[in-house]
Amino acid sequence: LYFDPGFVDAEQGDFRLRPDSPCIDAGLDYPDAYNSVDFAGGIRVCGRCVDLGAYESDGAPKDPHARPATTLFVDAAIGSDTNSGMEEQQPFQTIQKAIEVSVEGDEIVVADGVYTPICTLGRRIGIRSVNGADRTIIDGDGVSGCARFNGVRDSLGKSVLTGFTLRNGKSDSGAGSFGGTLNACVLSDNFGRFGGGASGSALNNCLILNNRASLYGGGSLSGTLIGCTVVGNEADHVGGGSEGGTLYNCIVWGNVCT
């Protein structure tokens, strides 16, 4: 390094990182980091990204008033974004509001309904529907991508979405989903230049149907697909069903590249 790494006390052999260390969140994200521990046996990724060095910092000094991880509730029919969201009888109305007040480790539980697009802000949270993709929908309305999981593509599982339909999304890349991990979701009727259905996402047991890309990857671009069905997607140049990435135990059928 060409700068002070910000050790706690290097002269005494304490190479842990101070809260102001420039090495915090400065590492290169890689999948195995999220299943490992540091030199002291602590959880390896505590912030936005893995830290440099042998020790993982727990970040900035903790707010003594910060709450522990909990469950937040969302219900489009009876909720209000002025509610606390922490009780099933006091749900938020929008998923985005729940994301904005969430902390690392929260679970957001979403009732049946049609919801506006979301951005998870790169947070390590879970968002799941109560009754599955048929009854819980995120709709881009033809003007916005449905679900964005970070400022860059993030397939490392920081944010996990389970049991939603993502439909009618429109964006430059990943109109249905951009990054993140999706389980048991339906991505349908989305349109983007790159990755009409998904871009850079980890898709598990998902249906990827009738999406379109004006360039590459009608169904998926540069994703990891496990146990998915990819049908009826279209790309104008390369990869009607999927372009790049890795597929395991998937059905890819009836896709078109014009």
Side-chain angles (χ1 to χ4, degrees), residues 169-187:
K170 183 179 180 181
S171 72
D172 189 64
S173 183
S177 67
F178 186 84
T181 295
L182 284 72
N183 302 317
C185 288
V186 178
L187 294 85

Side-chain angles (χ1 to χ4, degrees), residues 125-212:
I125 56 176
I127 306 170
R128 67 171 177 87
S129 68
V130 174
N131 291 310
D134 288 345
R135 301 174 66 176
T136 322
I137 299 161
I138 298 174
D139 196 320
D141 200 28
V143 296
S144 174
C146 295
R148 188 177 185 89
F149 291 89
N150 204 346
V152 296
R153 285 184 297 188
D154 167 24
S155 299
L156 302 177
K158 290 183 179 180
S159 304
V160 180
L161 188 72
T162 302
F164 287 81
T165 291
L166 285 70
R167 72 184 187 192
N168 299 326
K170 183 179 180 181
S171 72
D172 189 64
S173 183
S177 67
F178 186 84
T181 295
L182 284 72
N183 302 317
C185 288
V186 178
L187 294 85
S188 65
D189 302 298
N190 301 290
F191 173 75
R193 294 179 64 208
F194 306 95
S199 180
S201 300
L203 306 174
N204 303 308
N205 306 312
C206 293
L207 298 177
I208 305 165
L209 312 172
N210 304 318
N211 303 283
R212 180 171 173 265

